[in-house]
Amino acid sequence: MKYGVVLFVTDETIAPAVLGPALEERGFDALFVPEHSHIPASRESPAPGGGDLPRHFYRTVDVFVTLAVVAVTTARLALGTGVALPAERDVFHTAKQVASLDLVSGGRALFGVGVGWNREEARDHGIDPRRRGRVLDEKLAAMARLWSEERAEFHGEHVDFDPVYSWPKPVQSPHPPIYVGGGSDAALARLRDHGDAWLPDTVDVEDYRRVRSWLADQGRPDVPFTVFGADPDTLDVAGFDEVGVERIAFWVDPGGERDVLTRLDAIADRWMR
């Protein structure tokens, strides 16, 4: 089993240049960093988990800047968006950022994606929240072509461009693995059609068993699973090996350097030593 961390990086938390080496020194294999371009003041969408939206959602540092800093201060750590929101992003800029991260890190990028929970955030980007899943699917398909083809073109309902050149190409072939978040029917279809790994926030082994069986029926029996945002104090891993979980990415509360390092030590002591 491999162990990673999910951590919001903000202007008030541990610095990326400190975080990356600390993870690598303790034996973690991956870092997943969430993103939000902004948080609309209207606050119509309920916060994940209910209640008031935590402060760190408002203050996220750009995910690709964060991971680039981690890349140059580490040698082995996998660098994941967890999750990025490509439906809200320009397809060309995002393809270039992912490929550039993979290049400067020597092939360590993991592209975690989702539709996002904040519907008004999508609306601010000119995306109909009801159609953001379809936009995401087309952008993933278009980026796959930009990464893998010298002259790429794409013609869809939401993404449409004639032949273009887009460099650099990623180090990983044909592109960095796409980790699909979510467990809805639409998310699972996205995993089947565009994904290389599943990144769900469930810890129920029966969910993993059900999806593993469904993927086998769809001709995708070997898709790896990473548990996303698990609580290291309460997690029960019974059955995880059986259903093909390859990594657990533990949730770490955003905080200052001392608090985060103390928490990483506790997780490493419990799970990795």
Side-chain angles (χ1 to χ4, degrees):
M1 185 71 69
K2 295 182 284 189
Y3 299 100
V5 160
V6 180
L7 178 65
F8 273 82
V9 176
T10 80
D11 59 325
E12 298 176 326
T13 63
I14 185 172
V18 177
L19 175 61
L23 290 169
E24 205 163 70
E25 289 165 6
R26 289 161 176 78
F28 292 97
D29 98 294
L31 168 65
F32 290 90
V33 180
E35 79 157 344
H36 284 281
S37 60
H38 67 289
I39 296 295
S42 65
R43 296 296 307 112
E44 298 171 19
S45 298
D52 294 335
L53 188 67
R55 180 180 178 89
H56 55 261
F57 279 89
Y58 295 87
R59 308 186 70 98
T60 53
V61 178
D62 179 85
V63 65
F64 289 105
V65 172
T66 297
L67 293 174
V69 172
V70 175
V72 299
T73 54
T74 58
R76 302 177 303 279
L77 195 71
L79 311 165
T81 56
V83 294
L85 306 174
E88 301 176 3
R89 289 176 152 271
D90 177 84
V91 69
F92 296 109
H93 286 154
T94 306
K96 185 174 288 288
Q97 287 173 307
V98 173
S100 298
L101 177 64
D102 204 49
L103 178 67
V104 301
S105 68
R108 292 186 279 143
L110 309 177
F111 192 34
V113 302
V115 296
W117 58 270
N118 194 318
R119 298 170 67 86
E120 54 270 30
E121 179 182 354
R123 191 180 300 121
D124 285 348
H125 286 278
I127 304 298
D128 181 345
R130 297 168 299 179
R131 300 181 66 83
R132 65 195 191 279
R134 297 181 185 180
V135 175
L136 172 57
D137 291 343
E138 282 199 7
K139 289 187 175 181
L140 291 175
M143 285 189 285
R145 294 189 186 180
L146 291 168
W147 290 324
S148 61
E149 299 177 6
E150 183 173 356
R151 283 168 51 96
E153 67 178 295
F154 190 90
H155 303 287
E157 179 183 0
H158 304 285
V159 181
D160 185 26
F161 55 85
D162 290 328
V164 301
Y165 298 104
S166 179
W167 296 85
K169 301 302 183 188
V171 173
Q172 298 178 83
S173 180
H175 52 71
I178 296 172
Y179 280 60
V180 174
S184 67
D185 289 345
L188 293 178
R190 182 171 305 118
L191 173 63
R192 177 195 62 203
D193 297 339
H194 305 289
D196 302 292
W198 191 33
L199 190 65
D201 60 3
T202 180
V203 296
D204 187 341
V205 71
E206 291 304 320
D207 290 337
Y208 293 99
R209 185 172 288 113
R210 172 181 56 84
V211 172
R212 176 65 68 200
S213 176
W214 179 81
L215 285 169
D217 291 342
Q218 302 298 308
R220 299 289 311 277
D222 299 322
V223 173
F225 295 168
T226 286
V227 181
F228 181 80
D231 183 343
D233 297 326
T234 62
L235 180 64
D236 180 359
V237 298
F240 276 14
D241 287 338
E242 173 195 344
V243 296
V245 171
E246 72 164 14
R247 178 190 292 112
I248 300 167
F250 292 115
W251 171 263
V252 173
D253 286 333
E257 183 174 319
R258 178 179 297 178
D259 289 342
V260 170
L261 295 181
T262 298
R263 186 58 168 154
L264 294 180
D265 282 334
I267 296 171
D269 285 343
R270 176 168 182 172
W271 288 93
M272 302 158 61
R273 294 172 184 162

